[in-house]
Amino acid sequence: MEEENGYGGSSGPNLETSKAERSVWLMKCPVAVAKSWQNHPPSQPLSKVVFSINPLLPEDDPSHLQFTMEMSGTESVNMPKTYSLNMFKDFVPMCIFSETSEGDSVAMEGKVEHKFDMKPRHENIEEYGKLCRERTNKSSIKNRQIQVIENDCGLLMRPMPGMLGLISSSSKDKKRTQPVKQTDTKRTRRDRGELEDIMFKLFERQPNWALKQLVQETDQPAQFLKEILNELCVYNKRGANQGTYELKPEYKKSVEDTGAE
């Protein structure tokens, strides 16, 4: 017999559906904002959303409704304090779920009523440009260390006696061994913030890039790159740069300032 507000069976977790009809908002935020919220004290509010209506404009006008988010506190001095929230009208219906740390309970938190894209306001674009330059400078610092091997006679490089049977010197086996092509290897995703810094450096080199070129330059999965490009760039569907990506105006200005320095 199934339990109330869940699906039955002792083999899986129960699904709590008491909040299934609650309306929630889904917001895509920059990596810097997400990291700031993770380090924010839980007892204090994260931010404040200001909702304004212009009664002089028709309801179908994009400027009729405006959403602004004000951060309650930031770790970095150059962290923008105010952001614009652009609301999407057309998106796939979605629901929000949560899970306990033990994994024994899953709850439906509500249905997504509005979806937003978050970006710094025009008056904060200079601060955001400084933040991008800080991240670029940090990523350029090399943390690799060189270790000198004291025993330079090559003894540590020789195979142990028990490994001799695992190494084949047959010419036939060597012919069978073929190098793995780069296209067949599985690419590992980088940290999102680190990849954004690499993308900004590439667009400093040239303003337009094709997806295939960026995959070769970054050695990242194409689908993962598309997610980053949709946030940072505009895709040119026509014109002289057809089929290429270029930075959005708010990010292009910060990259130009970085190049000027």
Side-chain angles (χ1 to χ4, degrees):
M1 181 176 179
E2 294 187 356
E3 297 183 6
E4 186 178 0
N5 294 334
Y7 54 87
S10 58
S11 59
N14 294 327
L15 176 62
E16 175 65 36
T17 59
S18 60
K19 301 178 182 178
E21 299 301 325
R22 184 175 62 170
S23 297
V24 296
W25 290 5
L26 179 63
M27 183 179 62
K28 181 185 292 185
C29 63
V31 178
V33 176
K35 291 182 178 180
S36 176
W37 283 347
Q38 291 176 355
N39 300 325
H40 196 78
S43 59
Q44 300 179 6
L46 294 175
S47 58
K48 178 178 66 175
V49 177
V50 180
F51 170 62
S52 60
I53 301 177
N54 191 342
L56 301 179
L57 297 177
E59 295 183 0
D60 56 350
D61 192 305
S63 301
H64 176 70
L65 301 178
Q66 291 186 353
F67 296 86
T68 304
M69 173 170 287
E70 299 177 358
M71 302 288 290
S72 59
T74 55
E75 298 178 357
S76 176
V77 178
N78 296 325
M79 185 80 173
K81 307 298 188 297
T82 310
Y83 295 82
S84 297
L85 303 181
N86 300 326
M87 184 172 62
F88 293 91
K89 294 184 178 180
D90 299 327
F91 59 91
V92 179
M94 292 177 285
C95 297
I96 305 298
F97 294 85
S98 62
E99 184 179 9
T100 58
S101 58
E102 294 80 9
D104 57 353
S105 179
V106 179
M108 187 172 179
E109 300 295 340
K111 297 180 179 179
V112 177
E113 180 181 5
H114 297 299
K115 183 180 178 181
F116 295 89
D117 186 12
M118 183 178 178
K119 68 177 183 180
R121 293 178 63 87
H122 295 292
E123 60 267 21
N124 301 125
I125 198 65
E126 295 295 335
E127 295 180 354
Y128 194 72
K130 294 179 181 178
L131 180 63
C132 293
R133 287 192 290 272
E134 287 181 0
R135 291 166 51 186
T136 303
N137 294 334
K138 289 181 180 179
S139 65
S140 62
I141 299 176
K142 296 182 179 180
N143 297 323
R144 297 179 180 178
Q145 297 180 354
I146 299 176
Q147 182 178 0
V148 180
I149 301 176
E150 296 180 356
N151 187 355
D152 57 353
C153 299
L155 297 177
L156 299 177
M157 307 293 290
R158 297 178 183 177
M160 300 298 292
M163 300 175 59
L164 294 177
L166 301 177
I167 302 175
S168 176
S169 60
S170 174
S171 60
K172 295 182 179 179
D173 294 338
K174 292 181 180 179
K175 292 181 180 179
R176 295 175 185 174
T177 305
Q178 297 180 355
V180 180
K181 297 181 180 179
Q182 183 65 23
T183 54
D184 296 336
T185 58
K186 184 177 180 181
R187 294 183 170 92
T188 304
R189 292 189 176 190
R190 292 177 176 269
D191 177 73
R192 198 178 187 91
E194 179 184 357
L195 181 57
E196 285 186 4
D197 296 333
I198 295 175
M199 298 292 287
F200 282 127
K201 289 183 180 179
L202 291 175
F203 281 100
E204 287 181 20
R205 191 196 307 173
Q206 67 182 48
N208 295 90
W209 289 88
L211 178 61
K212 184 177 180 180
Q213 293 176 318
L214 291 174
V215 171
Q216 295 176 350
E217 290 284 342
T218 61
D219 192 27
Q220 292 295 291
Q223 187 61 35
F224 183 46
L225 269 182
K226 285 183 179 180
E227 296 178 7
I228 305 296
L229 290 171
N230 290 337
E231 295 181 8
L232 304 179
C233 301
V234 177
Y235 182 73
N236 296 311
K237 297 182 179 179
R238 57 182 63 87
N241 298 320
Q242 182 179 3
T244 62
Y245 290 88
E246 64 179 73
L247 287 176
K248 293 180 179 179
E250 57 267 24
Y251 299 115
K252 186 181 297 184
K253 180 175 176 56
S254 63
V255 170
E256 292 176 352
D257 294 342
T258 304
E261 291 181 357

